[in-house]
Amino acid sequence: MKVRKLMGALCAAGLLCGATASAVQAAEAVSVLHWWTSGGESKAVGVLKDDMTKQGYTWKDFAVAGGAGAAAMTALKTQVISGNAPTAAQIKGPLIQEWAEQGVLVPIDSVAGDWKKNLPPEIDKIIHADGKYVAAPFSVHRVNWLYINKAALDKAGGKVPTTWAEFFQVADKMKAAGIQPVAMGGQPWQDLTLWEDVVLSEGADFYKKAIVDLDQKTLTSDKMVQVFDTVRKIQGYFDNGRTGRDWNLATAMVINGKAGMQFMGDWAKGEFAGANKKAGTDYICAAVPGTEKSYTFNVDSFVFFQQKGQKAATPGQLALAKTIMSPEFQEQFSLNKGSIPVRLGVKMDKFDDCAKKSYSDEQTAIKSGGYVPSLAHGMAQGDATAGAMTDVVTKFMNSSQDSKSAVAALANAAKTK
């Protein structure tokens, strides 16, 4: 009788209609591929694991280290080709549609009843394929953040910069005070993150024409030359040990006061939280100079793969999708991850000042047209184009190449399909 009541409750919730008593008792294993491996990220995905375990599912974690997910995507391709696709995998942006075109994903519409009215339109369309939901989004990260160690800023006698001129003044004061001005990692996606921040500082319209539309006139403009010039000047405030450094190690430099500032998306905030640092007291999160009214978004989603012998989503896949989009999970996940809920209307009472500012700025940017997808984090272009543009920026930042030749190379890379 208890099993029947449980099945009835799960059926009413849209999770296990048609399942047998033995299927409920024999927990379905859900294998999950992702690249959340840093401290704050691990805590965040642990919330989902705990929620699924409480629902009676067996969680099989397949974490592949690497902040931008390149290694994870390679592992995923190997699994799918070998006929051993995971239950769900962390994928975002145009890659969702690319996987859908391969005919290997399953729709999850049966648990997506209220999603459309509770998601930003720009996000809602990303997780659709052929008019059906094939992915469940976790949270929204703002990429264009500048993190500042407050003690370092106070020691340097500076103020939070809102323009590049002010930024360089603060950096010079930190340097004079014996503080490394900028903490920076040494991976291509980190190079591109900084570069796209500077592109955005030239205006959301400029960013969209250059990075979303790949407009050749914009890509070869004097303003783009200025972008590379600014990036080169920022590089003058890096330390010599950045080669190969992971992003969270650069964040740690700001946390412990070895460096004053870092350009990084708000997943870095999870590292500050993990070190018991408080926003506004120990550190400051500010929009990258010149980007106050704009918002580069990075949205992590899980897509759901066809399982052996299954054409439709399994009960475990539906439970996973439903859990991800529940207001309770959205809140708890983002509190650990440093992000904000992708679901609109989730209460922000428990969030810190940085997250509240992020949510407020997001709503403003959505209405004003300043809500734009991140190139560095897989939201704006497919792998081939993004990879070619990344190569250009990384070459520039690791050589003495001049800005004009970098711009010419960038325009050519944007033609890659």
Side-chain angles (χ1 to χ4, degrees):
M1 183 61 70
K2 289 182 179 180
V3 170
R4 289 180 179 175
K5 286 183 177 180
L6 175 60
M7 287 178 62
L10 291 171
C11 184
L15 299 180
L16 285 177
C17 287
T20 64
S22 60
V24 175
Q25 292 171 325
E28 177 186 337
V30 290
S31 58
V32 181
L33 187 148
H34 63 88
W35 60 86
W36 289 318
T37 55
S38 76
E41 293 172 332
S42 295
K43 286 184 180 179
V45 77
V47 174
L48 183 59
K49 177 182 177 181
D50 290 345
D51 283 357
M52 290 299 290
T53 301
K54 288 175 184 176
Q55 293 179 54
Y57 294 94
T58 300
W59 180 277
K60 291 187 176 180
D61 198 71
F62 188 11
V64 182
M73 291 302 94
T74 299
L76 176 62
K77 290 175 183 176
T78 300
Q79 284 193 330
V80 174
I81 291 172
S82 66
N84 190 33
T87 305
Q90 181 185 0
I91 297 178
K92 53 192 176 181
L95 272 181
I96 294 175
Q97 279 71 40
E98 289 181 20
W99 277 107
E101 289 171 3
Q102 299 300 314
V104 293
L105 304 184
V106 290
I108 51 172
D109 294 72
S110 62
V111 295
D114 67 346
W115 290 14
K116 190 173 185 65
K117 67 179 181 180
N118 287 305
L119 287 171
E122 292 85 350
I123 307 304
D124 187 69
K125 66 183 180 183
I126 289 172
I127 58 175
H128 272 91
D130 294 327
K132 297 180 182 294
Y133 284 102
V134 293
F138 279 80
S139 59
V140 177
H141 282 293
R142 186 184 197 178
V143 178
N144 58 308
W145 281 120
L146 175 67
Y147 289 90
I148 309 173
N149 180 295
K150 192 171 186 305
L153 184 66
D154 291 343
K155 184 177 180 180
K159 65 174 184 177
V160 177
T162 59
T163 66
W164 287 120
E166 292 176 355
F167 171 84
F168 293 124
Q169 288 173 4
V170 170
D172 285 335
K173 288 178 179 179
M174 286 183 176
K175 191 174 182 178
I179 302 165
Q180 183 65 47
V182 180
M184 182 72 182
Q187 296 158 329
W189 70 268
Q190 294 187 63
D191 294 340
L192 197 64
T193 295
L194 171 59
W195 177 82
E196 76 173 19
D197 281 343
V198 181
V199 173
L200 186 64
S201 73
E202 296 290 348
D205 287 342
F206 177 79
Y207 181 98
K208 283 187 278 190
K209 288 179 181 177
I211 287 179
V212 179
D213 300 337
L214 303 177
D215 177 66
Q216 285 289 309
K217 185 176 180 181
T218 304
L219 289 168
T220 56
S221 65
D222 290 341
K223 192 175 283 190
M224 187 59 76
V225 174
Q226 179 59 47
V227 166
F228 279 93
D229 286 344
T230 300
V231 169
R232 181 68 82 208
K233 189 171 182 180
I234 295 170
Q235 278 190 273
Y237 298 94
F238 296 168
D239 69 299
N240 294 326
R242 81 178 189 98
T243 303
R245 180 187 290 148
D246 287 331
W247 69 270
N248 53 314
L249 298 182
T251 304
M253 292 171 66
V254 179
I255 290 173
N256 61 32
K258 288 185 178 179
M261 298 179 282
Q262 181 190 20
F263 295 92
M264 189 51 59
D266 56 14
W267 49 91
K269 193 156 62 67
E271 300 300 301
F272 283 94
N276 296 314
K277 301 298 183 181
K278 186 177 179 181
T281 301
D282 301 305
Y283 70 99
I284 297 165
C285 45
V288 169
T291 71
E292 179 67 32
K293 296 180 180 179
S294 300
Y295 196 110
T296 32
F297 64 83
N298 174 22
V299 178
D300 287 306
S301 300
F302 271 0
V303 298
F304 303 90
F305 286 86
Q306 286 182 2
Q307 300 298 287
K308 292 179 180 178
Q310 299 281 348
K311 289 291 185 181
T314 67
Q317 288 175 319
L318 294 176
L320 194 57
K322 189 178 180 72
T323 300
I324 289 168
M325 271 295 286
S326 69
E328 297 78 15
F329 172 79
Q330 289 267 315
E331 177 190 69
Q332 195 58 45
F333 180 85
S334 283
L335 283 169
N336 281 294
K337 186 75 160 56
S339 52
I340 62 172
V342 68
R343 187 183 179 102
L344 300 173
V346 174
K347 290 183 179 180
M348 299 295 292
D349 301 7
K350 296 180 182 178
F351 288 83
D352 61 30
D353 292 344
C354 292
K356 289 175 181 175
K357 176 175 172 54
S358 180
Y359 184 78
S360 175
D361 288 353
E362 179 196 39
Q363 304 314 301
T364 299
I366 289 172
K367 293 174 183 175
S368 69
Y371 198 59
V372 295
S374 168
L375 175 67
H377 299 278
M379 302 303 300
Q381 298 292 339
D383 276 356
T385 303
M389 295 175 75
T390 300
D391 289 345
V392 171
V393 173
T394 296
K395 178 183 177 181
F396 174 79
M397 292 183 68
N398 290 279
S399 70
S400 58
Q401 184 181 24
D402 66 277
S403 296
K404 287 187 178 179
S405 63
V407 162
L410 179 72
N412 188 56
K415 298 175 183 177
T416 305
K417 298 295 184 185

